[in-house]
Amino acid sequence: MQPLIDNARTFGQRPEEFAKLAEGQSPQVLFITCSDSRVVPALITGARPGELFELRTAGNIVPPYASEHPTSEAATIEYAVEVLGVDDIVVCGHSHCGAVGALVRGDDLTSVPAVRDWLTHATPRPAGTVEDPTVAEGVQSHILAQVLRLRSYPFIDKKLASGQLTLHAWYYEVHTGSVMTHDVSSDTFRAL
């Protein structure tokens, strides 16, 4: 913890770098990814403060849209699209994902009921090989399911239809640093 504290103490000693951030934000991308500490969107993309609007959830899950009882995730997505006017949404899953791995393996999650109940939003259950520690196949199918879930949000569907928004499915390998994108024409993930 001490190195983090030391950095936080010196972080604000460059006010000229941060002054313009007080004027507001206008990110072009909503980056939806896992809460996993090994996935750092700004490092992966090289983004500076104000360039990415981030939504991090266990397993990069996008919950179903519900106007009667909206989730904080849906509110974040709506704000990014309707207020900030992002042009792109990236759903980025990653190798070695504990959440997707638990789903692929069918782990007993009774000792973590909040996690168990949150993962019910990941339907359909991701396909994949139980023996693969990277859970690559499971994560990649899960990413595509979350992109489809986004398409069910009415305001996203409207922006997609008008060409004002583009969805991207990315897969990040934590053990190599490689990023792959889903190629719709071949229905495979390939290097960016």
Side-chain angles (χ1 to χ4, degrees):
M1 183 71 186
Q2 192 58 49
L4 301 175
I5 293 170
D6 293 342
N7 190 68
R9 284 184 179 139
T10 61
F11 192 71
Q13 295 177 0
R14 304 180 310 257
E16 65 284 349
E17 291 180 37
F18 299 101
K20 71 177 188 172
L21 295 175
E23 297 169 11
Q25 62 175 326
S26 57
Q28 294 180 339
V29 178
L30 168 61
F31 200 93
I32 301 173
T33 195
C34 187
S35 305
D36 191 298
S37 63
R38 300 168 292 179
V39 181
V40 183
L43 287 177
I44 294 168
T45 63
R48 301 286 302 147
E51 293 180 342
L52 289 180
F53 198 69
E54 294 181 24
L55 173 59
R56 297 180 66 129
T57 69
N60 58 273
I61 292 173
V62 174
Y65 181 79
S67 58
E68 298 95 40
H69 302 287
T71 63
S72 64
E73 296 82 14
T76 299
I77 295 165
E78 181 181 67
Y79 187 80
V81 172
E82 297 291 1
V83 177
L84 297 176
V86 297
D87 299 319
D88 297 275
I89 299 176
V90 174
V91 177
C92 183
H94 67 95
S95 68
H96 303 85
C97 182
V100 174
L103 291 167
V104 168
R105 292 184 301 272
D107 290 354
D108 178 5
L109 300 174
T110 54
S111 66
V112 283
V115 173
R116 178 197 61 217
D117 293 350
W118 173 250
L119 293 182
T120 63
H121 293 302
T123 56
R125 182 177 168 182
T129 306
V130 175
E131 297 79 22
D132 178 11
T134 68
V135 290
E137 181 185 353
V139 170
Q140 291 173 6
S141 70
H142 174 71
I143 295 165
L144 297 178
Q146 302 319 295
V147 169
L148 282 175
R149 176 77 53 76
L150 280 170
R151 290 178 172 278
S152 73
Y153 282 46
F155 55 90
I156 289 181
D157 183 53
K158 181 180 171 187
K159 297 273 185 176
L160 289 169
S162 68
Q164 296 175 292
L165 185 66
T166 304
L167 299 178
H168 308 269
W170 285 11
Y171 173 70
Y172 172 65
E173 289 186 335
V174 297
H175 56 291
T176 67
S178 296
V179 179
M180 293 186 263
T181 187
H182 182 254
D183 177 29
V184 177
S185 63
S186 65
D187 194 26
T188 60
F189 280 81
R190 59 173 176 77
L192 274 177

